């Protein structure tokens, strides 16, 4: 493979074409000052419709990955000989007893110059689409062990009639990811999930290692926190929660002193409000929105201009049957570990087991 003084290999295409987009003029100017001849495969469009259903352990019907590509070289496409497409599978989970299904890349298709047509910019253009079945067959993976958030990885190799060859290692940032060129020679479509179950319900919990925000002056009881939290479906895959802190806000709170009989005054309240919900994103549960605190007391909204906005983060560490273990933290530094048991002892969706350590 030829190199050009370690500079990105980019074409000297007709300037009228390159300067058609005024917003990219400065980027193109800089590139053309520094580089010589070459060629790229420009991404015109990308459509990722790879959707996996964990209930059926298979891809949804119609799952496919589609690219619209345009070849550019110093002779306006006349040097195009072929484009080789390679693919591999990247296992982002440990499903299947911890087996890693990640594969090495294999040839998927060779696109000959004759397969290209002339696009609206007068350059060779082609649309390629690969179904999930084709990708599973090519990589040799077990479809039943796929998890949403796994991904396929594609790499392109551009061959010219003059013997030059270009791929992802021959381009730099302005070309691979630039708004004008967008020619990375590699693509990483992530497999999305088909949300088919409803996580709504009143789930019981046991919280350990509860801790207050550092410097807050709050204290925790020191024992396990037990209770229940209600998730209500707001829309498909999204749920409101009666308490994002699983009782931690109520247990670890500013205490105004012991009252007769040993009672204490709780001043914060449950971590909930009008603007929060939990989003089910394949293998994760992502709390979204802010909890509003007005002088230490949780309020339902920000109408009273609260002095604090609190967000939450969940990290699922284990899922066994009906029990999900989550490490949770607030933006203030509150936190704990909760074992959340699904209502009725029903198993959590198998997709969450991808978080098991």
């Amino acid at each position: 493979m030829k190199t050009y003084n370690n500079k990105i290999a980019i074409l000297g295409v007709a300037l009228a074409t390159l300067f058609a987009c005024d917003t990219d003029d400065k980027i193109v100017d800089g590139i053309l000052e520094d580089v010589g001849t070459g060629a790229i495969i420009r991404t015109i469009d990308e459509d990722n419709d790879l959707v996996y259903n964990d209930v059926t352990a298979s891809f949804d019907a119609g799952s496919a990955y589609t690219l619209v590509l345009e070849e550019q070289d110093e002779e306006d496409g006349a040097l195009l000989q072929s484009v080789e497409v390679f693919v591999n599978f990247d296992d982002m989970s440990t499903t299947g007893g911890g087996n890693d299904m990640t594969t090495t890349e294999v040839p998927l298709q060779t696109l000959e110059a004759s397969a290209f047509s002339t696009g609206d910019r007068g350059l060779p253009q082609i649309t390629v689409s690969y179904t999930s079945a084709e990708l599973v067959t090519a990589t040799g993976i077990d479809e039943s062990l796929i998890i949403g958030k796994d991904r396929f990885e594609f790499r392109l190799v551009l061959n010219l009639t003059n013997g030059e060859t270009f791929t992802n290692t021959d381009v730099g940032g302005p070309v691979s990811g630039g708004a004008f060129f967008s020619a990375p020679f590699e693509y990483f479509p992530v497999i999305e999930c088909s949300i088919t179950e409803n996580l709504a319900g009143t789930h019981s919990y046991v919280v350990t290692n509860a801790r207050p925000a550092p410097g807050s002056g709050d204290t925790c009881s020191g024992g396990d926190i037990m209770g229940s939290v209600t998730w209500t479906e707001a829309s498909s895959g999204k749920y409101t929660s009666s308490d994002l802190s699983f009782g931690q806000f109520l247990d670890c709170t500013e205490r105004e002193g012991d009252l007769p009989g040993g009672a204490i005054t709780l001043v914060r309240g449950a971590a909930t409000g009008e603007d929060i919900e939990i989003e089910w994103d394949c293998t994760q549960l992502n709390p979204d929105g802010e909890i509003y605190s007005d002088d230490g007391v949780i309020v339902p909204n920000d109408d009273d201009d609260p002095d604090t906005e609190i967000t939450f983060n969940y990290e699922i560490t284990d899922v066994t049957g009906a029990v999900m273990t989550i490490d949770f933290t607030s933006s203030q530094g509150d936190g704990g570990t909760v074992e959340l048991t699904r209502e009725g002892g029903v198993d959590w969706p198998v997709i969450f087991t991808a978080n098991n350590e």
Side-chain angles (χ1 to χ4, degrees):
M1 182 180 299
K2 296 185 180 180
T3 59
Y4 300 92
N5 297 321
N6 295 320
K7 297 176 180 177
I8 50 178
I10 187 64
L11 67 161
V13 295
L15 292 181
T17 301
L18 288 174
F19 288 97
C21 184
D22 291 341
T23 59
D24 295 299
D25 283 356
K26 292 182 180 179
I27 295 175
V28 176
D29 280 343
I31 291 172
L32 293 180
E33 287 175 0
D34 291 340
V35 302
T37 60
I40 61 170
I41 293 290
R42 183 167 177 249
T43 310
I44 301 300
D45 194 19
E46 179 182 11
D47 189 10
N48 181 13
D49 286 324
L50 295 170
V51 182
Y52 189 81
N53 189 316
D54 66 287
V55 175
T56 63
S58 62
F59 282 96
D60 281 356
S63 288
Y65 180 63
T66 303
L67 287 168
V68 180
L69 305 171
E70 178 186 81
E71 192 270 350
Q72 302 182 33
D73 60 52
E74 59 186 296
E75 295 187 14
D76 296 338
L79 295 179
L80 172 61
Q81 176 176 298
S82 66
V83 175
E84 297 172 82
V85 183
F86 295 85
V87 68
N88 70 277
F89 178 79
D90 191 0
D91 191 345
M92 307 296 287
S93 69
T94 57
T95 297
N99 295 328
D100 186 351
M101 292 200 300
T102 298
T103 68
T104 57
E105 70 174 20
V106 295
L108 180 62
Q109 187 179 20
T110 297
L111 308 171
E112 301 293 345
S114 58
F116 287 71
S117 58
T118 302
D120 56 10
R121 285 160 35 95
L123 297 169
Q125 189 174 112
I126 191 170
T127 299
V128 292
S129 185
Y130 304 107
T131 67
S132 57
E134 289 173 324
L135 298 175
V136 167
T137 299
T139 55
I141 59 175
D142 185 340
E143 183 175 359
S144 69
L145 298 181
I146 292 174
I147 287 288
K149 297 302 182 182
D150 289 341
R151 69 186 189 184
F152 290 101
E153 300 179 346
F154 294 81
R155 184 173 69 90
L156 307 181
V157 176
L158 171 59
N159 301 308
L160 302 184
T161 56
N162 63 9
E164 294 178 345
T165 302
F166 301 95
T167 188
N168 59 303
T169 55
D170 298 309
V171 293
V175 175
S176 65
F180 181 82
F181 289 108
S182 185
F185 283 83
E186 58 184 353
Y187 303 89
F188 308 98
V190 175
I191 299 169
E192 296 301 326
C193 302
S194 178
I195 302 299
T196 58
E197 295 188 60
N198 191 329
L199 304 184
T202 299
H203 313 305
S204 60
Y205 60 73
V206 177
V207 175
T208 58
N209 192 32
R211 55 195 182 277
S216 66
D218 297 345
T219 58
C220 301
S221 66
D224 293 348
I225 305 172
M226 301 182 184
S228 61
V229 62
T230 298
W231 291 354
T232 303
E233 186 175 40
S235 59
S236 179
K238 295 184 178 181
Y239 305 87
T240 61
S241 172
S242 61
D243 190 353
L244 289 181
S245 76
F246 306 103
Q248 185 270 343
F249 261 30
L250 291 170
D251 184 87
C252 307
T253 188
E254 181 180 353
R255 302 173 189 278
E256 298 181 340
D258 292 335
L259 300 179
I264 57 177
T265 301
L266 304 175
V267 300
R268 278 205 290 187
T272 190
E274 297 177 355
D275 299 313
I276 63 96
E277 61 186 14
I278 299 171
E279 181 177 358
W280 179 8
D281 181 17
C282 284
T283 62
Q284 302 297 327
L285 293 172
N286 298 322
D288 187 30
E290 296 80 24
I291 306 296
Y292 300 111
S293 173
D294 189 2
D295 291 330
V297 178
I298 302 302
V299 294
N301 54 52
D302 61 353
D303 292 344
D304 297 324
D305 190 23
D307 54 10
T308 305
E309 295 182 353
I310 307 166
T311 58
F312 273 81
N313 180 69
Y314 290 173
E315 180 182 356
I316 301 172
T317 60
D318 186 82
V319 178
T320 303
V323 180
M324 176 184 294
T325 304
I326 303 172
D327 288 336
F328 64 92
T329 55
S330 79
S331 55
Q332 289 186 313
D334 301 275
T337 299
V338 61
E339 288 190 350
L340 188 65
T341 302
R342 194 174 182 184
E343 182 178 16
V346 178
D347 288 353
W348 293 104
V350 67
I351 194 168
F352 288 118
T353 62
N355 298 283
N356 290 353
E357 296 178 338

